[in-house]
């Protein structure tokens, strides 16, 4: 991942959108999916929280606590995992250039979680959740 998960943009665009697309079916059918992520980077790039920057509330809202991050300490342990690998490479595309259906699926999923229904072309209601507002 070019950015870090604790940065809002990278959490939403680089991580949450494609991971939601890849894992939504498993999360809905299993209840909880464990995603093993590397923990050997000094910048903690797969941590939703780092120092004062915290995207934990956003992560929990998007995945409804159905995605649990398991931090793997070293590359050898990571490579020896007996787990299903998803075909997701954050360096495969420039930022925000995922296929349109990935963004549509993510948007529709988030609208349905918020229990908002509207017809295309009518415009969308705006929902602001206080924990999503970040101030410097």
């Amino acid at each position: 991942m070019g950015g870090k998960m604790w940065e809002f943009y990278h959490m939403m665009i680089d991580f949450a959108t494609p991971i939601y697309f890849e894992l939504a079916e498993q999360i809905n059918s299993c209840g909880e999916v464990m995603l093993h992520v590397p923990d050997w980077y000094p910048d903690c790039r797969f941590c939703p929280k780092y120092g004062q920057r915290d995207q934990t509330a956003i992560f929990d809202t998007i995945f409804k606590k159905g995605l649990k991050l398991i931090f793997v300490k070293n590359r050898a342990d990571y490579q020896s995992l007996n787990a299903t690998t998803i075909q997701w490479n954050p360096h495969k595309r420039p930022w925000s250039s995922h296929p349109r259906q990935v963004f549509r699926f993510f948007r529709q999923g988030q609208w349905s979680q918020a229990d908002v229904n509207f017809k295309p072309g009518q415009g969308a209601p705006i929902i602001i959740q206080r924990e999503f507002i970040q101030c410097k």
Side-chain angles (χ1 to χ4, degrees):
M1 184 157 59
K4 287 86 176 156
M5 247 173 69
W6 43 266
E7 296 173 311
F8 180 78
Y9 176 86
H10 296 291
M11 162 65 90
M12 294 298 292
I13 303 302
D14 288 344
F15 181 82
T17 302
I19 292 297
Y20 185 85
F21 182 79
E22 290 288 335
L23 297 178
E25 186 176 317
Q26 289 88 344
I27 290 171
N28 289 333
S29 63
C30 299
E32 183 178 83
V33 171
M34 291 180 282
L35 183 66
H36 294 84
V37 296
D39 192 27
W40 54 80
Y41 296 105
D43 59 5
C44 200
R45 69 180 62 177
F46 287 98
C47 302
K49 181 177 181 179
Y50 185 71
Q52 299 290 353
R53 315 267 310 263
D54 190 354
Q55 308 304 325
T56 306
I58 295 168
F59 181 90
D60 290 344
T61 300
I62 291 168
F63 295 106
K64 292 283 193 189
K65 301 194 185 221
L67 182 65
K68 182 177 181 181
L69 297 177
I70 307 294
F71 293 96
V72 181
K73 295 291 181 194
N74 62 59
R75 293 176 195 267
D77 290 345
Y78 196 76
Q79 292 170 345
S80 67
L81 287 171
N82 184 16
T84 302
T85 302
I86 58 170
Q87 297 303 313
W88 176 69
N89 179 352
H91 300 294
K92 185 177 178 181
R93 308 175 186 286
W95 291 351
S96 72
S97 66
H98 303 291
R100 286 184 179 172
Q101 73 264 23
V102 172
F103 289 105
R104 284 189 194 118
F105 184 81
F106 180 76
R107 182 181 60 218
Q108 193 59 41
Q110 296 311 298
W111 281 122
S112 75
Q113 279 188 36
D115 198 24
V116 174
N117 295 309
F118 63 94
K119 294 180 182 169
Q122 288 184 328
I126 295 174
I127 298 173
I128 298 173
Q129 290 184 298
R130 172 109 359 239
E131 69 261 19
F132 287 6
I133 299 172
Q134 293 188 347
C135 301
K136 288 190 174 195

